[in-house]
């Protein structure tokens, strides 16, 4: 007997994928997997208090705002996930325990506990598959019209994690292909506005380069993951300053 899959998104929830500047002329293709803390209506609050749902466990605060400023400044296409990573973390493959986490930092996520194979598959089909299919489609269409694609994923991280303060302010992350990251790190060293480090506060060993591998490495495209400490982009001013700095790093690195 084949069990029916739970329905994840209602008509009122809308599409899980947001795309802006679809015809942007820049080679940069911006991706924001953790853009939102919104939950599809069927999940309620997942058994979590409001303070958890507004915190970094549910999304990357400020990441979408910075990505949008960059998108406008560079005339770059932006793709983002419209629902919280607590339902499905689109920077993790379906086989990863972190794709639908049962715990995150100090919080137990009751609504994710003991998910059945059917429930996991339903979330994968509703959120992960269309998100990454949309990116594949954009890359395919850009290639068909002779436009290069450079994968840049935008994230933010909390200044304190498990009680430990993080001194790093800006992380430039990469997997096996470090071409773009190397250039950005050299540009950052020449204009050290923020404490910038390679593969911090996470790195490939933490499983955070899934999107880079899926769309960058597999296609031979230059790629980089940007991690910004979220206290630096908590307001419009901080977001604007960071976006302007990142724009400079990217432009210098691409010109090189």
């Amino acid at each position: 007997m084949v069990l029916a899959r739970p329905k994840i998104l209602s008509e009122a929830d809308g599409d899980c994928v947001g795309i802006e500047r679809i015809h942007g002329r820049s080679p940069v293709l911006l991706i924001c997997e953790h853009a939102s803390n919104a939950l599809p209506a069927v999940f309620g609050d997942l058994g979590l208090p409001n303070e958890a749902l507004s915190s970094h466990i549910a999304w990357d605060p400020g990441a979408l705002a910075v990505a949008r400023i960059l998108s406008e400044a560079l005339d770059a296409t932006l793709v983002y996930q419209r629902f919280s990573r607590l339902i499905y973390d689109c920077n993790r493959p379906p086989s990863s325990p972190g794709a639908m986490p049962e715990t995150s930092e100090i919080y137990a996520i009751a609504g994710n506990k003991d998910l059945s194979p059917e429930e996991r598959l339903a979330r994968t089909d509703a959120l992960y598959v269309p998100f990454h299919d949309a990116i594949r489609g954009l890359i395919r269409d850009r290639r068909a019209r002779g436009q290069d694609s450079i994968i840049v994923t935008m994230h933010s991280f909390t200044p304190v994690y498990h009680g430990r303060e993080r001194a790093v302010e800006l992380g430039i992350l990469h997997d096996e292909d470090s071409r773009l990251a190397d250039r950005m790190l050299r540009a950052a060293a020449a204009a050290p506005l923020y404490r910038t480090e390679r593969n911090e506060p996470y790195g490939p060993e933490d499983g955070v380069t899934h999107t880079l591998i899926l769309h960058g490495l597999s296609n031979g495209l230059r790629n980089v993951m940007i991690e910004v400490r979220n206290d630096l982009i908590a307001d419009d001013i901080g977001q604007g300053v960071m976006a302007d700095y990142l724009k400079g790093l990217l432009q210098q690195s691409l010109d090189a």
Side-chain angles (χ1 to χ4, degrees):
M1 184 177 85
V2 178
L3 296 177
R5 295 180 194 169
K7 186 173 178 59
I8 303 300
L9 298 178
S10 68
E11 186 175 339
D13 288 321
D15 197 350
C16 72
V17 185
I19 302 177
E20 298 179 5
R21 283 189 178 76
I22 194 168
H23 298 300
R25 292 172 296 177
S26 172
V28 171
L29 178 56
L30 290 164
I31 300 171
C32 194
E33 303 100 313
H34 307 149
S36 173
N37 62 349
L39 301 176
V42 71
F43 293 101
D45 59 11
L46 286 175
L48 290 167
N50 287 336
E51 66 180 36
L53 293 174
S54 62
S55 78
H56 70 95
I57 75 163
W59 63 322
D60 283 355
L64 179 60
V66 173
R68 280 178 161 154
I69 299 170
L70 270 176
S71 173
E72 180 177 5
L74 296 171
D75 191 22
T77 299
L78 167 63
V79 187
Y80 59 96
Q81 171 57 248
R82 293 186 58 248
F83 293 99
S84 172
R85 62 177 166 199
L86 293 176
I87 302 301
Y88 192 105
D89 184 338
C90 283
N91 196 28
R92 298 291 189 279
S95 59
S96 170
M100 292 159 264
E102 292 191 2
T103 61
S104 185
E105 200 173 6
I106 63 173
Y107 296 99
I109 305 165
N112 285 357
K113 186 171 176 57
D114 298 326
L115 295 177
S116 69
E118 291 76 23
E119 289 171 320
R120 295 183 69 86
L121 185 57
R123 294 191 189 192
T124 301
D125 286 348
L127 299 172
Y128 175 85
V129 171
F131 182 73
H132 288 291
D133 278 354
I135 298 169
R136 289 189 189 94
L138 285 168
I139 293 171
R140 181 186 62 244
D141 292 346
R142 290 156 70 96
R143 183 181 292 125
R145 62 177 181 259
Q147 182 177 8
D148 290 338
S149 292
I150 297 169
I151 306 301
V152 178
T153 67
M154 179 62 60
H155 297 258
S156 72
F157 64 93
T158 181
V160 180
Y161 188 65
H162 284 291
R164 180 182 174 187
E165 292 188 4
R166 289 160 156 170
V168 60
E169 296 178 314
L170 176 61
I172 305 297
L173 284 63
H174 61 84
D175 203 277
E176 293 179 2
D177 181 358
S178 67
R179 291 175 293 171
L180 182 53
D182 290 344
R183 290 176 177 176
M184 290 184 69
L185 286 162
R186 286 196 291 271
L193 183 60
Y194 300 99
R195 178 168 176 174
T196 304
E197 298 182 17
R198 182 190 301 270
N199 285 337
E200 290 291 345
Y202 312 103
E205 68 278 3
D206 300 304
V208 300
T209 55
H210 177 63
T211 298
L212 299 186
I213 294 169
L214 197 61
H215 301 293
L217 270 69
S218 67
N219 291 307
L221 303 176
R222 284 175 288 171
N223 60 89
V224 71
M225 177 177 175
I226 298 172
E227 282 274 7
V228 180
R229 207 174 68 194
N230 66 31
D231 60 317
L232 301 173
I233 52 173
D235 57 29
D236 293 348
I237 295 174
Q239 292 158 9
V241 172
M242 179 60 71
D244 188 61
Y245 183 70
L246 292 175
K247 175 190 172 186
L249 296 187
L250 282 166
Q251 287 182 323
Q252 291 179 56
S253 301
L254 297 180
D255 290 345

